[in-house]
Amino acid sequence: MFQKFYPDEAVESAYGIPYEKLYEDGVRGLLYDIDNTLVEHDADATAQAVELIGRLRKLGFSVMFLSNNDEERVRRFNRDIGAKYIYKAGKPSPRSYLRAMEQMGTSAQTTVFIGDQLFTDIWGAKRAGIRTYLVRPIAKHEEIQIVLKRRLEGIVLFFYRRYCKKCRKVCAR
C-alpha cells in the first residue's frame, strides 16, 4: 500500500552518497531538492553545497535543482552554484521531473533524484520513473505544515524499515 512512497535508497545525507559509483553505473543526471536536502530551509548555498556541486560537475554529472519554492528563493540559493533549476515545480507531479531530464539530456534510467520528503520529492520522482535517494532532513525545526507531513511520513517509514528488514536491505532512516 505504501510502497509507491518508498525510496530506492535512504541515506543520512546528500553529502554521503557514493556519487562515483553512481557515475560508474551509468547515472549522468542528478536532480536535487534544496531545502532540508542540501541546506536548512531558506538558507543560501553553503560552502559544502558549492563544493559538492562543483565536484559532481567534474565527475561528469549534469546537475539541476527542482524546487516547489518561488524563483527568488531558488535563484538566491543557486547564486554561487550556477546550475539549472526549475522553480514552482509542482512536485509530486511528474511533469517537472520529465522537463528536467529533457533539459539535462538524460533519461529516467540515467537520472537520480535526491530529496528529503516522501510525499513530494520521492513520490514525484517515482511517478516519473526516476531512481530516488531519501535523505534525513537537515533542520530539526520546521514549519507546522512540514511537521504534520513528517508525522505521516513516519508511518510510511515504519513500514519501509520493515520492508527493508524483510528484504535484507539497508535503510538509513
Side-chain angles (χ1 to χ4, degrees), residues 2-11 113-119 121-123 125-126 130-135 153 156-157 159-161 163-164 169-173:
F2 292 128
Q3 289 187 352
K4 65 183 173 186
F5 300 113
Y6 291 176
D8 295 301
E9 304 287 338
V11 297
F113 183 88
I114 299 103
D116 70 299
Q117 291 190 44
L118 288 177
F119 302 136
D121 298 330
I122 302 305
W123 188 34
K126 290 181 73 76
I130 301 171
R131 183 174 165 191
T132 59
Y133 274 79
L134 177 68
V135 300
E153 284 182 352
V156 176
L157 289 171
F159 288 102
Y160 173 67
R161 285 188 289 275
Y163 165 80
C164 291
K169 182 177 177 182
V170 177
C171 299
R173 273 182 76 173

Side-chain angles (χ1 to χ4, degrees), residues 35-153:
D35 288 333
N36 267 337
T37 297
L38 292 170
V39 295
E40 288 191 16
H41 179 76
D42 207 37
D44 290 347
T46 60
Q48 184 181 31
V50 172
E51 187 277 325
L52 173 66
I53 303 305
R55 181 170 69 89
L56 296 173
R57 285 178 170 150
K58 285 180 185 168
L59 285 172
F61 287 108
S62 291
V63 177
M64 263 187 97
F65 303 120
L66 199 59
S67 175
N68 282 347
N69 280 299
D70 63 26
E71 186 173 20
E72 185 279 326
R73 162 66 185 126
V74 180
R75 186 182 324 123
R76 182 169 42 86
F77 168 81
N78 193 38
R79 180 180 47 236
D80 295 330
I81 296 174
K84 291 181 181 178
Y85 61 84
I86 296 174
Y87 64 95
K88 290 189 178 179
K91 296 180 288 185
S93 169
R95 187 174 313 145
S96 291
Y97 296 86
L98 298 171
R99 196 169 108 217
M101 287 187 290
E102 184 179 311
Q103 288 182 28
M104 291 190 302
T106 60
S107 67
Q109 294 73 35
T110 62
T111 303
V112 168
F113 183 88
I114 299 103
D116 70 299
Q117 291 190 44
L118 288 177
F119 302 136
T120 52
D121 298 330
I122 302 305
W123 188 34
K126 290 181 73 76
R127 291 174 70 196
I130 301 171
R131 183 174 165 191
T132 59
Y133 274 79
L134 177 68
V135 300
R136 187 176 299 277
I138 292 173
K140 299 290 183 230
H141 302 291
E142 298 178 300
E143 297 173 351
I144 188 66
Q145 71 271 17
I146 303 297
V147 171
L148 295 173
K149 273 201 260 183
R150 297 282 187 213
R151 289 193 178 172
L152 293 173
E153 284 182 352

